[in-house]
Amino acid sequence: MPYAQAEGARLHYEETGHGHPIVFVHEYGSDHREWEQQVRFFSREYRCITFDARGYTPSDVPSDPRLYGQDFAAADIAAVMRHLDIPKAHVVGLSMGAFATLLFGIRYPQMATALVVAGVGTGSNLAELEAFRAAQVVRADALRSDGWHDLALESGHSPTRVQLKKKDPRGWAEFVAHLREHSPEGSAMTQQYYQGARDPVYAWEAELKTMMVPTLLALGDEDWPCIEPNCFLKRTIPHCGLWMQPRTGHAINLEEPAAFNREMQSFFSTVERGRWSLDA
């Protein structure tokens, strides 16, 4: 298997196709496999790279809690790109991966030609921040003691994910099956030290106001925890568009792959023709 070396972990990756690179960054409940419908579509014209985050086999699962968190998540994208000798890429992230993508745009803007930030913002509600963080610790402890078998089913039936089951039962079953294969320890580490310790997106207001990378926010209208954070991001990021898909929950790329691919394709085309910015 191919691996890229990042700080404290080897990251498993796959690449398909030729052309301008697109790097896909997966969410907490998924792994590199959940980008399959995007890779099959975009690899006809682009070089598509997917990778598994630290804590997700076959990438390494560090035992040191200090090797997890938002700083590593953004730096790992850069590490994969450097390993593959990619100076610039479109970067696409969902949820936890969207959070990393946004931070990557702040910290490594010279390496990003465009950002697709999908389903970002869970845990950013400032009034509920401490309760959210405490819940991540409880969830991490449950993963360590019980594993993923029952928790994967519970996750698949959550209010922002059950939409996939209603629309695509086979896709939902595959999502749950993949989730049950995840490392309980890696997931627990990620849950506690990344999900439960990261900044709310509102904390980045000053940096986001100066981030000039073309950005597309993508959101399902039933992904309730993310709606207000995305409105904030739309108001704050200079070269930013917001696309909302109706009757859709959190896993927008799995629920509505055709619509998601279409919107990304249009966005990339506009960026590549130099017409995304309304200042010109």
Side-chain angles (χ1 to χ4, degrees):
M1 288 184 178
Y3 289 91
Q5 184 63 52
E7 183 182 350
R10 296 179 309 152
L11 304 175
H12 164 258
Y13 68 88
E14 293 184 357
E15 58 175 324
T16 310
H18 303 278
H20 188 78
I22 306 175
V23 179
F24 294 91
V25 192
H26 68 78
E27 63 151 323
Y28 173 77
S30 297
D31 53 56
H32 80 278
R33 294 172 292 182
E34 265 61 51
W35 291 116
E36 183 65 20
Q37 295 182 85
Q38 283 67 54
V39 169
R40 292 189 181 209
F41 181 83
F42 283 100
S43 62
R44 301 171 187 229
E45 298 181 2
Y46 291 87
R47 180 185 180 189
C48 294
I49 295 96
T50 60
F51 71 96
D52 293 296
R54 60 181 64 218
Y56 291 73
T57 56
S59 291
D60 289 344
V61 180
S63 58
D64 187 345
R66 294 172 297 180
L67 291 176
Y68 292 85
Q70 65 182 36
D71 296 334
F72 289 104
D76 285 351
I77 301 171
V80 171
M81 290 176 61
R82 288 172 180 143
H83 175 81
L84 293 169
D85 196 25
I86 296 173
K88 290 178 175 286
H90 298 334
V91 182
V92 179
L94 175 69
S95 190
M96 179 182 83
F99 185 92
T101 296
L102 199 58
L103 189 56
F104 178 84
I106 291 172
R107 295 187 176 176
Y108 302 90
Q110 74 282 3
M111 299 179 72
T113 46
L115 305 176
V116 177
V117 178
V120 76
T122 302
S124 287
N125 185 330
L126 297 178
E128 300 175 359
L129 184 58
E130 292 308 313
F132 173 82
R133 289 181 170 172
Q136 306 316 297
V137 177
V138 172
R139 180 81 166 188
D141 290 341
L143 281 165
R144 291 188 180 98
S145 62
D146 302 330
W148 264 117
H149 189 271
D150 292 337
L151 288 175
L153 205 59
E154 177 187 307
S155 179
H157 285 104
S158 65
T160 63
R161 291 192 183 273
V162 72
Q163 295 87 347
L164 178 61
K165 183 178 184 179
K166 295 175 180 177
K167 294 177 181 179
D168 179 7
R170 287 169 64 95
W172 180 86
E174 184 176 64
F175 166 82
V176 171
H178 288 174
L179 189 51
R180 283 173 168 163
E181 295 172 4
H182 290 179
S183 161
E185 181 61 21
S187 296
M189 288 286 205
T190 303
Q191 185 105 47
Q192 184 169 351
Y193 299 108
Y194 179 11
Q195 297 284 82
R198 65 191 181 189
D199 297 332
V201 296
Y202 303 109
W204 300 342
E205 183 172 6
E207 293 90 340
L208 290 168
K209 284 181 176 179
T210 63
M211 188 186 77
M212 306 306 289
V213 183
T215 301
L216 177 67
L217 305 170
L219 181 67
D221 70 343
E222 295 179 13
D223 192 3
W224 305 111
C226 297
I227 290 177
E228 288 302 322
N230 272 266
C231 291
F232 159 76
L233 293 172
K234 169 58 186 170
R235 292 192 301 266
T236 305
I237 301 172
H239 300 302
C240 178
L242 171 59
W243 167 61
M244 183 176 287
Q245 175 69 18
R247 299 180 61 252
T248 299
H250 195 53
I252 186 172
N253 67 311
L254 299 180
E255 280 188 49
E256 299 293 345
F260 186 72
N261 293 348
R262 182 183 64 245
E263 292 297 325
M264 281 206 300
Q265 183 181 44
S266 175
F267 169 59
F268 291 153
S269 176
T270 305
V271 170
E272 290 158 13
R273 287 181 285 110
R275 297 300 299 160
W276 180 252
S277 171
L278 298 180
D279 295 337

